[in-house]
Amino acid sequence: MKSIGILGSTGSIGTQALQIVDENINKYDISYLTCLNNYKLLSQQALHYRPKKVCIVDSSKEKQLSKLLKNENIEVYSGVSGLHELSSFRTDLLLNAIVGSDGMIPTINALKNNIQVALANKESMVMAGWIINDILKENNRRIIPVDSEHSAIFQCLTGEKVSNVRKIILTGSGGPFRTKNYNEFKNIEKKEALNHPNWQMGKKISIDSATMMNKGLEFIEAYWLFNLPKEKIDIIVHPQSIIHSIVEFTDGSMKCQMGYPDMEVPIRYAFSYPGRSNSSSRSFNFLENDKLTFESPDYEKFPCIKLAQEALKSGYSHQVVLNVANDIAVLKFLNDKISFTDIPKVIDKAISSHVSIDNPSIDEILELSEWTKEFITNEVINV
Ligand code: MN
C-alpha cells in the first residue's frame, strides 16, 4: 500500500486524484486530506477514504467540519498552521494541489521532511525554485511534476541524461482568446475567460490560460524542475492540446508525450511512478485527429508570457513578485475589480516597483509576498 496525502482535495486536481484512488483501493491509501473551505465535500471525502487527519484552512468552518466528523476517529486540523503541520506528516507521497502562492510552504515543509512530493502547485517552483532545489539535492530526491507539460517532459527524460538534451519545447493550447482580435480584449468577460477550449480546470488556472501567464509560469517551472538554461526552453502553441510537450536530444532525436487532454494521466503517472497503472481511458484515435497544428505564441497579445520570461532573467525576487501579483490580479479580475487587460499592467507595475533581493530566504519571500499583495490592492484602487 502506498499512502497518499492530498493538499487541496476538493479542487479540480484533488477530486480527480481521489477517483484514481477509488479505482486502486488495494494499492493506495489516503493518509490525510486538506481543503480551503469546502467542509461539506471534505467531510464526505473523509468518511469515504478514512484518512487519519484532515485540515480545513478556513478556520471559520472548523466547527461545522468537526461536527460532521464527530466520533469518526479522524483528527481535524484548521488554519494555515494546521495545513503546515499536515504537510510535514509522514506519508509515502504528498500531492500538492493547492491553488496559488499558498502552496509554497507546504511543498518546502514536505521536502524538508524528506517526503516525496507530486507537484500540481507550479507556484511553489516559481516562488522558491532555488530553495526547493537545494533541499532536493541534499536529500537526493526529485519532484514528480503533475503539470501536464512537465509530466510529459519528465516522462520523455526517463532513462535519459539531461546533458544530452538540446532543448525542451513546452506546448500550450493558446487559451480561449488565441484567435480573438486584441482590440476586443478590454471587453473580455469573466465567463469567456473561464471557458477553456480543451481543458476542464479550476478558476485560477483557467484565467492564467486565458492571459497565457500559465505558459509563462510553466516556463519558470520547467527551468527549476529540469535544471536547464533558459535558452534551451521553447514555447510553441498547439491548439489541439494532444502533444503535451517535446524533448529534443543532442543527436537530433525528439520524444514527445501525447494523448487526449486529461489531467488524470499526469496524476496517475505521479501515483504509480516509476511504474504505470491501468486506466480505462479511450485510446487516442489518430485518424479522427489527423490535424495537429503548431504556431508561435503571440507575445504582443499575451504580454504575460514575456513578463514571466523577463522575471526569470532579472532575478529571484522578480519571480516572487510576478507570481503573487498574478495571484492577486486574477482574484481582482474574478471579483470584477479590474479588467482582463489590467492583469499584465498591474503585474508589470508591481515588478518594476519592488526592491530587488538577490537570493531571498523563505522569510524574505513571505515579506515580499505581503508587500506585493498590498501594492496590488492599492494599485487596483487607482486603476
Ligand atoms: Mn500545464
Side-chain angles (χ1 to χ4, degrees):
M1 276 291 211
K2 188 185 261 187
S3 63
I4 298 175
I6 301 179
L7 309 180
S9 67
T10 59
S12 170
I13 297 284
T15 49
Q16 291 180 77
L18 286 172
Q19 276 172 24
I20 296 167
V21 172
D22 258 335
E23 294 166 22
N24 297 279
I25 39 167
N26 47 356
K27 273 196 203 150
Y28 307 133
D29 169 50
I30 293 293
S31 46
Y32 56 83
L33 298 172
T34 81
C35 80
L36 181 60
N37 54 23
N38 191 347
Y39 70 93
K40 283 184 185 156
L41 182 54
L42 183 62
S43 73
Q44 288 165 15
Q45 293 176 340
L47 292 173
H48 183 77
Y49 299 98
R50 311 298 310 181
K52 295 184 185 72
K53 300 163 194 278
V54 293
C55 175
I56 181 119
V57 176
D58 179 352
S59 315
S60 70
K61 305 285 192 316
E62 186 195 353
K63 267 203 182 116
Q64 286 106 310
L65 179 66
S66 296
K67 207 171 157 192
L68 291 168
L69 296 177
K70 210 167 77 185
N71 305 325
E72 293 292 345
N73 201 18
I74 297 169
E75 263 185 275
V76 176
Y77 290 66
S78 74
V80 171
S81 59
L83 172 68
H84 292 176
E85 216 174 310
L86 276 203
S87 56
S88 314
F89 183 61
R90 186 106 331 259
T91 184
D92 295 329
L93 183 73
L94 173 150
L95 170 63
N96 185 349
I98 290 174
V99 176
S101 314
D102 296 339
M104 178 191 75
I105 294 286
T107 300
I108 293 175
N109 279 353
L111 294 174
K112 276 186 176 167
N113 286 282
N114 206 6
I115 292 164
Q116 179 63 59
V117 172
L119 192 63
N121 178 264
K122 68 192 74 179
E123 293 88 344
S124 294
M125 296 314 288
V126 177
M127 284 179 80
W130 52 99
I131 292 170
I132 289 171
N133 279 356
D134 280 349
I135 308 170
L136 287 168
K137 213 170 168 190
E138 238 168 73
N139 295 333
N140 197 20
R141 271 197 191 275
R142 299 195 61 190
I143 279 176
I144 309 170
V146 176
D147 207 340
S148 63
E149 296 79 0
H150 304 72
S151 173
I153 295 164
F154 188 85
Q155 293 184 52
C156 293
L157 285 175
T158 298
E160 304 283 358
K161 285 194 180 113
V162 175
S163 55
N164 288 335
V165 172
R166 187 186 280 169
K167 79 181 160 191
I168 60 178
I169 304 168
L170 290 170
T171 55
S173 67
F177 307 129
R178 182 177 61 89
T179 56
K180 197 181 183 77
N181 195 311
Y182 186 69
N183 299 331
E184 296 162 33
F185 269 39
K186 56 182 184 301
N187 302 320
I188 285 173
E189 284 185 37
K190 148 172 104 175
K191 65 170 188 298
E192 306 168 75
L194 286 169
N195 191 13
H196 196 278
N198 304 345
W199 295 92
Q200 289 296 317
M201 305 179 290
K203 281 186 184 171
K204 198 261 176 181
I205 187 169
S206 295
I207 302 301
D208 283 348
S209 297
T211 62
M212 287 197 79
M213 177 57 96
N214 187 47
K215 218 41 64 184
L217 298 176
E218 289 180 352
F219 187 89
I220 303 177
E221 182 188 16
Y223 173 83
W224 291 113
L225 278 176
F226 303 111
N227 294 300
L228 284 165
K230 336 181 217 322
E231 298 71 34
K232 290 191 173 185
I233 310 171
D234 275 357
I235 296 174
I236 193 159
V237 170
H238 166 43
Q240 298 80 20
S241 298
I242 299 299
I243 293 180
H244 301 310
S245 277
I246 302 134
V247 179
E248 183 180 340
F249 295 93
T250 45
D251 61 358
S253 180
M254 295 174 118
K255 280 190 189 174
C256 76
Q257 188 266 345
M258 60 190 292
Y260 291 116
D262 183 351
M263 282 312 293
E264 258 194 51
V265 178
I267 301 169
R268 202 181 283 283
Y269 185 72
F271 282 6
S272 64
Y273 177 80
R276 289 191 183 270
S277 62
N278 295 322
S279 161
S280 52
S281 65
R282 64 200 163 124
S283 290
F284 182 73
N285 188 324
F286 281 88
L287 300 178
E288 282 174 13
N289 296 275
D290 60 348
K291 282 186 186 62
L292 301 184
T293 62
F294 306 91
E295 57 195 67
S296 287
D298 189 332
Y299 294 103
E300 303 288 315
K301 262 166 73 173
F302 301 103
C304 285
I305 312 174
K306 273 275 182 282
L307 282 176
Q309 290 175 324
E310 287 300 320
L312 180 62
K313 231 184 262 173
S314 308
Y316 297 171
S317 64
H318 296 246
Q319 298 166 49
V320 176
V321 176
L322 170 94
N323 188 68
V324 179
N326 180 57
D327 269 10
I328 308 297
V330 169
L331 202 67
K332 300 282 181 197
F333 171 69
L334 287 171
N335 291 332
D336 302 312
K337 300 282 190 228
I338 60 174
S339 73
F340 188 78
T341 45
D342 287 335
I343 297 175
K345 283 184 201 154
V346 293
I347 297 169
D348 192 15
K349 208 154 181 194
I351 296 174
S352 50
S353 308
H354 93 284
V355 180
S356 170
I357 307 173
D358 261 354
N359 197 350
S361 64
I362 297 172
D363 283 342
E364 285 170 325
I365 292 172
L366 294 175
E367 275 167 36
L368 211 46
S369 303
E370 285 313 309
W371 176 87
T372 309
K373 280 178 198 168
E374 228 165 272
F375 180 88
I376 300 282
T377 304
N378 293 334
E379 196 57 35
V380 163
I381 297 166
N382 303 323
V383 159

